[in-house]
Amino acid sequence: MRGVFAVKATSGERAIWKVEIHPSNPDALRRNLMALEQARQVLSSVSGCGVPQILWSDVDRGLSLTEFAIGDTGRRALRGAEIGFGHRADILLRIGRYCAALHEYSPGYVEPFHPSPFLKQVIGTGAAVRAGKIKIARSRRFLGLCAYLHRAGRRASGLEFRRSQTHGDFHLLNLLITENCVTGVDFFNSDPKPSYLDVARFWNNAGDHFDCTDQGRDDGEAQLSGFAGLPGADWAAFMQGYGSDLAQDPVFHFFFALQLFREWKKKIGNWQDLATDRQAQLERFTARLDWLLAAEPKGANETKEANR
């Protein structure tokens, strides 16, 4: 169990108090605080990018005190844009810049991509689903995603990609937005990881905030779909901030599908047991899979129908 509290001193200063009640994991907390401090050092000189400062900690007792970060969550900021408070494209552009700054300014290195280490989980999970040891809604579609990951891995094998410090849980609730600053909270990856994982997690973990509808769009018209069926204008704004469009990068295709695999496995159980929001989420997952299969190079998706 974990408690997170906003506290205020008599002097008016505010901070965030986190307590791991039971069970406490000192090693995990130490890594999380290390990731937070590393990110703060990386982004401290980057305009418009913030990371809370650690004020005090006692990892053996599961306690930490960090600077209070102001702002609306990314989710609330997008909802505000729907009724005229801010501009959706500007919010996503700034989030893209934040993500790029974290990856570009942190120590890292470029290396050839080898899919095998990432496919171990896919292979094991696929076997368990086939054997009935893991129950998952639309299991045949899920196994089709597993097959897609193997083909995507072959297409990306040997291409270059970057490892750097990543956020580790980069999504709208871990981003606080003000007029002048984007602040990231709850970092937990201190070791170099594939940079694309942050981007893939952001787009796979956003729920209905990136459906193709006309709600809250500046131009009042429905957005045309872009990569993976995501709203094209949203995708373009983020990628403008990120500094490159990853839609044509086979390595990113792999990591996007890998994150889709992880989200599907984690969040979607038996179809009969799904709440309404989970059913909607499953529909989004299968729609993204359909897009990935349809976008495969000719000859690469010849087994698509067999995977349905």
Side-chain angles (χ1 to χ4, degrees):
M1 297 177 62
R2 180 179 301 164
V4 181
F5 310 94
V7 297
K8 185 176 182 179
T10 55
S11 61
E13 295 175 309
R14 293 185 294 176
I16 294 296
W17 177 253
K18 293 187 179 181
V19 184
E20 289 192 0
I21 301 170
H22 180 78
S24 178
N25 188 337
D27 291 337
L29 178 57
R30 188 176 290 107
R31 287 194 301 270
N32 293 354
L33 293 175
M34 182 184 299
L36 182 66
E37 179 57 23
Q38 287 178 349
R40 193 184 70 82
Q41 293 177 7
V42 167
L43 296 177
S44 61
S45 61
V46 182
S47 177
C49 297
V51 179
Q53 182 179 357
I54 302 169
L55 303 177
W56 175 85
S57 66
D58 184 339
V59 294
D60 291 327
R61 296 168 63 191
L63 307 174
S64 66
L65 192 69
T66 60
E67 180 184 13
F68 186 90
I70 63 173
D72 289 332
T73 65
R75 175 182 292 178
R76 181 175 292 180
L78 288 180
R79 285 177 175 166
E82 292 173 358
I83 56 174
F85 292 97
H87 298 283
R88 185 181 184 91
D90 179 64
I91 294 167
L92 290 166
L93 182 144
R94 292 168 61 205
I95 291 174
R97 283 178 178 166
Y98 187 96
C99 189
L102 176 64
H103 297 163
E104 291 174 6
Y105 292 106
S106 65
Y109 54 92
V110 175
E111 65 177 354
F113 175 68
H114 299 293
S116 298
F118 302 101
L119 288 173
K120 289 181 179 179
Q121 181 187 13
V122 177
I123 294 170
T125 300
V129 171
R130 292 187 187 92
K133 296 178 180 179
I134 295 179
K135 302 294 184 181
I136 193 164
R138 297 192 184 175
S139 58
R140 293 189 65 184
R141 302 305 317 280
F142 180 78
L143 291 173
L145 174 59
C146 294
Y148 172 87
L149 275 161
H150 285 274
R151 299 193 298 273
R154 287 194 293 271
R155 289 192 293 273
S157 181
L159 300 179
E160 289 188 342
F161 77 112
R162 178 177 171 80
R163 288 184 182 269
S164 64
Q165 181 177 350
T166 60
H167 182 285
D169 197 14
F170 195 73
H171 59 72
L172 290 170
L173 294 181
N174 282 339
L175 295 164
L176 302 178
I177 314 292
T178 67
E179 184 178 350
N180 300 314
C181 188
V182 175
T183 300
V185 297
D186 287 344
F187 289 76
F188 72 84
N189 273 344
S190 56
D191 296 328
K193 300 284 185 182
S195 301
Y196 289 164
L197 284 173
D198 276 342
V199 184
R201 180 160 180 75
F202 179 83
W203 289 104
N204 272 302
N205 199 44
D208 60 359
H209 294 284
F210 297 110
D211 284 341
C212 288
T213 70
D214 60 359
Q215 186 179 24
R217 306 305 188 243
D218 292 340
D219 58 4
E221 297 179 358
Q223 286 205 45
L224 298 176
S225 63
F227 178 79
L230 295 160
D234 287 349
W235 175 267
F238 182 98
M239 289 303 158
Q240 181 183 351
Y242 195 71
S244 63
D245 190 341
L246 303 180
Q248 304 303 320
D249 189 328
V251 182
F252 177 72
H253 289 191
F254 177 87
F255 282 114
F256 182 89
L258 181 65
Q259 188 61 41
L260 177 60
F261 163 88
R262 291 171 174 173
E263 296 286 335
W264 196 330
K265 177 184 176 184
K266 177 182 178 181
K267 296 179 178 178
I268 306 298
N270 281 321
W271 173 261
Q272 293 83 357
D273 300 330
L274 292 182
T276 301
D277 60 333
R278 295 301 190 196
Q279 293 178 8
Q281 192 168 50
L282 179 58
E283 294 301 321
R284 284 191 287 271
F285 287 172
T286 55
R288 287 171 193 171
L289 173 59
D290 286 340
W291 191 97
L292 292 172
L293 292 172
E296 280 192 280
K298 290 182 179 180
N301 59 349
E302 56 189 10
T303 59
K304 180 172 63 176
E305 290 300 324
N307 293 327
R308 289 187 180 274

